[in-house]
């Protein structure tokens, strides 16, 4: 994973430096994402009236360490923030940045460049300068699993900045930062953009392989228009060649069956009752494809092992961590990671809790009356909190329970359960110093809650209990697995149940299609920025192309049965997989959103709605 930045200046004035355009705080944020190597490169082309400044900061994960931007013999330049997990052949010791540049160096036209990015399986963002054509290409993968922001300025010079992370909130200016929409690739022809007064960007929207399938608003005709707001001096238009990169997944199965009914009575149903021989075949197919996704994400990491006197080696530090609540998503990921990570290597389970504040009986009754299903807790009595129990939030309780299940499945594995305890004072301090700049351009109460919770969890600073003794512990794992994508594909949210009750399978499957289509703008860019701030890489096994294609091909009733109670009907396919993997209580835990399970939603303003704009993300000083 890397922090990448590109600044394009059209009609540059003499004496204007690209170093002056980007502030010190942005470069520090980029360096935190890529702590192993940093390099800058400038390219000036006065005859065409443009300057390009490129900055690359590398988190070394596999193969030889190659500084970025990477340059070939033809003068082409690549900034790459991604991982190849399939589609293009790459050995376990190879460097994917070098391989991508080799493929791009052989491309002589638009179609061949689009073919490269249509082939890659895995998360990526890229910025590529093709020297002979004077074209600047950039974009994000179909799901938007890696962050890329843009900002346009038109003061002394027309300037476009592309970056993994932005400047501070207070330095946004008249044209705020936006996430580059993950709806295709983009190209700027610098031989045609010579006026310095306007910027034209060609857009290459994603298209599914079947010609008859049209996704969202991306059609094949002249009527295709870019759907995001950009400044008046910028135009984003459908490329003149009418070329499209190919979506790397199978389209959603929109078939409906309104006559489908559950085979069990809701009053006596359990997950095992669905595991018929026929159903087991499907469940094991799902386990296999998800297991392969996890395998790709936990192997081929630098594993510096310590020689011993015997034939074995001992690895003392975890290379992989999991955002861990003890819920079915994180439990399944932990169980599958256990299948592939070397047996002598620990796995870090990152469990975050925010200190509970005492509430009066009246406040608690009012809160319980308005609580959504996702807020339900295992234990919610904080009337007599002390320092020991004030971090016993729901996710801590289910996390400890989940730890016991994992220890039963594999008692030989060293499971590092990391208790990450955050006070209100530390929350305010780190939000002000770091987190609010990473969450932007998202700005809701929900973005604040999840962004802060994920940032503290991924930092991995807490305590663990070893041999009955509580010890300080900091996770050194560079890879952080997260379960995002499970709820969006398997109807895990309470809104999916409401949608099914009002619109049946037809409404539900449309909602799931929309969930997957907007996951880049609602979740993934933000999560990549906050996790990457610690020099760690977020990996999303549920969003592997093969996993999504497998689930997309299934009719919706094979994935969830929302006629069944909470804790069973939503994500039913995943719950059956959990049972087959040997998990017990965690397989039937109802969905609990992270902001409620960690109790961050209870820390400050209880009257806020998740969709409200969050003033705390905009404050210039700590209250």
């Amino acid at each position: 994973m890397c922090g990448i930045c590109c600044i394009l200046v059209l009609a540059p004035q003499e004496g204007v430096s690209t170093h002056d355009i980007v502030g010190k705080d942005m470069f520090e944020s980029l360096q935190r994402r890529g702590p192993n190597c940093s390099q800058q490169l400038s390219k000036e082309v006065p005859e065409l009236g443009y300057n390009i400044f490129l900055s690359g900061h590398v988190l070394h994960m596999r193969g030889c360490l190659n500084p970025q931007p990477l340059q070939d013999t033809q003068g082409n330049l690549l900034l790459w923030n991604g991982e190849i997990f399939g589609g293009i052949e790459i050995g376990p010791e190879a460097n994917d940045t070098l391989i991508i540049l080799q493929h791009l160096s052989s491309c002589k036209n638009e179609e061949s460049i689009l073919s490269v990015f249509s082939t890659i399986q895995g998360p990526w963002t890229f910025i590529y300068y093709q020297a002979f054509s004077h074209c600047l290409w950039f974009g994000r993968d179909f799901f938007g699993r890696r962050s890329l922001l843009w900002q346009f300025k038109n003061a002394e010079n027309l300037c476009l900045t592309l970056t993994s992370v932005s400047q501070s909130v207070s330095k946004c200016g008249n044209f705020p930062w936006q996430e580059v929409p993950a709806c295709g690739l983009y190209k700027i022809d610098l031989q045609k953009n010579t006026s310095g007064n306007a910027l034209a960007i060609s857009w290459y929207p994603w298209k599914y392989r079947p010609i008859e399938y049209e996704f969202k608003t991306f059609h094949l005709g002249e009527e295709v228009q870019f759907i995001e707001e950009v400044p008046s001096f910028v135009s984003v238009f459908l490329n003149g060649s009418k070329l499209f990169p190919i979506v790397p997944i199978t389209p959603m199965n929109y078939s409906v069956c309104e006559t489908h009914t559950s085979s069990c009575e809701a009053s006596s149903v359990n997950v095992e009752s669905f595991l018929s021989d026929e159903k087991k075949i499907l469940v094991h197919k799902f386990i296999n494809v998800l297991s392969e996704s996890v395998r790709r994400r936990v192997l081929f990491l630098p594993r510096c092992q310590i020689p011993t006197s015997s034939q074995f080696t001992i690895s003392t530090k975890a290379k992989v961590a999991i955002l861990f609540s003890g819920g079915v998503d994180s439990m399944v990921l932990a169980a599958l990671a256990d299948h592939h990570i070397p047996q002598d290597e620990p796995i870090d389970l990152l469990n975050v809790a925010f200190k509970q504040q005492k509430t009066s009986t009246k406040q608690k009754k009012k809160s319980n009356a308005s609580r959504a299903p996702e807020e339900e807790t295992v234990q919610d009595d904080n009337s007599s909190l002390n320092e020991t129990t004030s971090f016993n939030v729901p996710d801590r309780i289910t996390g400890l329970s989940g730890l016991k299940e994992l220890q039963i499945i594999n008692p030989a594995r060293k499971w590092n359960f990391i208790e990450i305890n955050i006070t209100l004072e530390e929350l305010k301090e780190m939000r002000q110093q770091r987190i609010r700049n990473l969450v932007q351009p998202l700005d809701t109460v929900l973005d604040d809650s999840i962004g802060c919770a994920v940032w503290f969890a991924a930092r991995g600073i807490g305590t663990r209990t070893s041999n009955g003794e509580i010890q300080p512990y900091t996770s050194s794992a560079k890879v952080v697995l997260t379960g995002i994508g499970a709820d969006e594909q398997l109807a895990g949210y309470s809104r999916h149940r409401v949608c099914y009750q009002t619109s049946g399978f037809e409404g539900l499957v449309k909602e799931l299609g929309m969930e997957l289509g907007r996951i880049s703008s609602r979740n993934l860019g933000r999560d990549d920025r906050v996790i990457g701030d610690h020099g760690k890489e977020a990996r999303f096994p549920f969003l592997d192309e093969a996993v999504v294609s497998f689930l997309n091909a299934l009719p919706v009733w094979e994935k969830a049965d929302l006629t069944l109670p909470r804790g069973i009907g939503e994500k039913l396919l995943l719950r059956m997989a959990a049972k087959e993997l040997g998990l017990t209580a965690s397989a039937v835990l109802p969905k609990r959103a992270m902001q409620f399970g960690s109790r961050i939603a209870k820390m400050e303003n209880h009257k806020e709605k998740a969709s409200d704009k969050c003033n705390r993300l905009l404050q210039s000083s700590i209250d």
Side-chain angles (χ1 to χ4, degrees):
M1 198 220 33
C2 305
I4 62 176
C5 177
C6 172
I7 304 169
L8 169 66
V9 181
L10 297 181
Q13 296 180 358
E14 200 170 323
V16 175
S17 169
T18 48
H19 289 275
D20 299 331
I21 299 174
V22 176
K24 178 183 176 183
D25 57 341
M26 178 189 289
F27 280 100
E28 289 177 348
S29 294
L30 290 167
Q31 287 170 339
R32 285 195 293 270
R33 288 178 63 87
N36 298 126
C37 181
S38 294
Q39 180 173 274
Q40 280 68 240
L41 188 149
S42 295
K43 185 170 186 66
E44 299 179 2
V45 186
E47 63 271 21
L48 291 178
Y50 70 85
N51 290 352
I52 296 178
F53 173 78
L54 300 169
S55 182
H57 308 266
V58 179
L59 174 67
H60 183 222
M61 300 299 288
R62 63 179 175 181
C64 297
L65 176 59
N66 283 300
Q68 293 196 41
L70 204 58
Q71 184 170 5
D72 64 12
T73 57
Q74 305 168 48
N76 302 316
L77 298 166
L78 175 65
L79 287 170
W80 168 259
N81 175 24
E83 296 286 348
I84 301 174
F85 292 131
I88 291 179
E89 186 175 348
I90 178 171
E93 300 301 323
N95 180 274
D96 52 357
T97 309
L98 187 59
I99 287 177
I100 292 296
L101 183 57
Q102 289 171 352
H103 278 77
L104 292 175
S105 296
S106 65
C107 296
K108 303 304 179 186
N109 53 43
E110 298 171 314
E111 193 169 7
S112 57
I113 289 178
L114 296 176
S115 177
V116 171
F117 291 101
S118 298
T119 305
I120 300 169
Q121 294 179 19
W124 49 264
T125 60
F126 80 100
I127 302 168
Y128 176 60
Y129 172 75
Q130 190 177 49
F132 82 87
S133 67
H134 296 276
C135 288
L136 185 70
W137 289 82
F138 57 96
R140 305 165 68 190
D141 72 77
F142 178 72
F143 297 117
R145 289 166 287 188
R146 292 287 174 259
S147 170
L148 189 65
L149 308 178
W150 62 12
Q151 186 187 53
F152 304 92
K153 293 182 179 180
N154 193 13
E156 296 88 358
N157 305 95
L158 196 157
C159 173
L160 164 65
T161 301
L162 299 164
T163 178
S164 301
V165 287
S166 65
Q167 289 173 301
S168 66
V169 175
S170 60
K171 298 179 181 179
C172 285
N174 294 327
F175 301 107
W177 293 97
Q178 295 176 310
E179 290 187 328
V180 175
C183 56
L185 305 187
Y186 306 88
K187 184 189 78 172
I188 300 173
D189 187 338
L190 296 169
Q191 296 182 94
K192 297 179 180 179
N193 282 273
T194 56
S195 68
N197 297 319
L199 180 64
I201 303 175
S202 296
W203 173 40
Y204 298 79
W206 292 105
K207 187 191 76 169
Y208 279 89
R209 193 172 299 279
I211 298 299
E212 70 275 8
Y213 189 86
E214 298 179 355
F215 182 69
K216 293 176 67 175
T217 59
F218 309 152
H219 300 281
L220 303 181
E222 293 286 348
E223 75 277 8
V224 176
Q225 294 185 2
F226 193 67
I227 56 177
E228 303 291 331
E229 291 186 8
V230 292
S232 59
F233 56 88
V234 178
S235 59
V236 182
F237 57 90
L238 181 66
N239 70 91
S241 304
K242 306 292 175 60
L243 295 173
F244 302 83
I246 302 300
V247 176
I249 60 171
T250 299
M252 176 79 76
N253 183 341
Y254 281 94
S255 62
V256 296
C257 179
E258 294 297 348
T259 60
H260 172 77
T261 58
S262 172
S263 59
C264 301
E265 293 293 330
S267 59
S268 60
V269 74
N270 56 59
V271 172
E272 289 93 333
S273 62
F274 290 90
L275 284 168
S276 62
D277 290 342
E278 181 180 351
K279 188 66 72 174
K280 281 188 177 183
I281 294 174
L282 176 64
V283 170
H284 280 275
K285 286 181 179 179
F286 178 47
I287 290 173
N288 289 340
V289 73
L290 184 58
S291 180
E292 174 62 16
S293 170
V294 172
R295 186 192 70 84
R296 293 176 179 179
R297 286 158 175 79
V298 301
L299 293 186
F300 312 129
L301 300 174
R303 287 186 160 90
C304 300
Q305 296 183 318
I306 303 171
T308 68
S309 56
S310 69
Q311 61 178 327
F312 300 103
T313 58
I314 298 175
S315 177
T316 59
K317 291 186 177 180
K319 306 299 184 294
V320 176
I322 302 171
L323 296 185
F324 189 76
S325 66
V328 65
D329 307 348
S330 59
M331 286 292 291
V332 167
L333 292 184
L336 292 176
D338 178 55
H339 290 179
H340 302 294
I341 293 174
Q343 185 63 39
D344 58 5
E345 185 177 301
I347 297 176
D348 286 348
L349 307 175
L350 306 176
N351 184 275
V352 66
F354 292 84
K355 189 174 183 179
Q356 298 177 79
Q357 311 298 311
K358 291 184 179 181
T359 57
S360 67
T361 303
K362 182 177 180 181
Q363 287 175 317
K364 189 167 67 172
K365 286 182 178 179
K366 185 176 181 180
S367 174
N368 288 341
S370 60
R371 178 175 293 158
E374 290 176 5
E375 297 181 62
E376 289 180 10
T377 66
V378 176
Q379 176 181 329
D380 197 25
D381 184 3
N382 61 3
S383 59
S384 57
L385 291 177
N386 55 45
E387 196 62 33
T388 304
T389 62
S390 57
F391 293 104
N392 282 348
V393 302
D395 278 0
R396 176 63 46 79
I397 297 167
T398 55
L400 288 168
S401 176
L403 171 65
K404 293 178 181 178
E405 288 189 40
L406 295 173
Q407 290 170 333
I408 292 172
I409 289 176
N410 187 356
R413 170 79 64 188
K414 186 174 183 181
W415 301 96
N416 289 326
F417 185 81
I418 316 305
E419 299 189 24
I420 301 165
N421 296 332
I422 307 301
T423 64
L424 179 59
E425 293 72 25
E426 186 175 13
L427 170 62
K428 288 184 175 183
E429 178 185 3
M430 298 316 299
R431 178 195 285 123
Q432 173 67 25
Q433 290 183 13
R434 303 267 280 277
I435 301 170
R436 68 192 186 112
N437 298 331
L438 300 166
V439 171
Q440 76 154 333
L442 305 186
D443 58 4
T444 69
V445 170
L446 182 64
D447 293 314
D448 173 54
S449 294
I450 295 180
C452 290
V454 172
W455 188 89
F456 281 109
R459 186 178 64 167
I461 298 177
T463 62
R464 67 172 177 178
T465 301
S466 180
N467 298 322
E469 180 184 352
I470 299 176
Q471 304 170 337
Y473 185 88
T474 299
S475 174
S476 60
K478 286 187 177 182
V479 166
V480 178
L481 301 183
T482 167
I484 193 168
D487 291 305
E488 288 79 0
Q489 297 180 81
L490 296 166
Y493 294 120
S494 57
R495 62 177 176 268
H496 295 142
R497 192 171 289 273
V498 173
C499 183
Y500 174 75
Q501 291 169 348
T502 56
S503 304
F505 281 123
E506 184 175 359
L508 177 60
V509 74
K510 288 181 179 178
E511 181 75 14
L512 294 179
M514 182 180 68
E515 294 274 11
L516 208 55
R518 68 186 183 184
I519 197 170
S520 64
S521 59
R522 287 172 67 100
N523 304 90
L524 294 175
R526 176 200 64 213
D527 289 358
D528 176 69
R529 290 190 293 276
V530 297
I531 293 174
D533 191 55
H534 304 294
K536 302 180 181 184
E537 180 171 287
R539 294 187 175 178
F540 312 99
F542 286 103
L543 292 174
D544 180 87
E545 285 80 357
V547 173
V548 176
S549 292
F550 176 84
L551 293 175
N552 273 1
L554 298 177
V556 65
W557 58 86
E558 296 280 16
K559 297 181 276 191
D561 186 346
L562 300 185
T563 64
L564 299 175
R566 290 184 66 245
I568 297 178
E570 75 279 13
K571 298 188 286 193
L572 178 60
L573 180 61
L574 183 62
R575 297 181 189 281
M576 290 189 289
K579 284 290 186 181
E580 287 295 279
L581 289 169
L583 302 177
T584 53
S586 59
V588 292
L589 279 178
K591 164 68 182 176
R592 187 188 304 115
M594 187 179 195
Q595 66 271 27
F596 302 126
S598 68
R599 275 295 181 257
I600 190 174
K602 301 292 185 181
M603 289 287 278
E604 291 165 291
N605 187 346
H606 293 201
K607 297 181 180 179
E608 294 173 319
K609 294 180 180 179
S611 58
D612 290 346
K613 298 293 183 184
C614 183
N615 292 328
R616 294 183 296 278
L617 293 174
L618 304 175
Q619 291 170 350
S620 59
S621 61
I622 301 176
D623 292 337

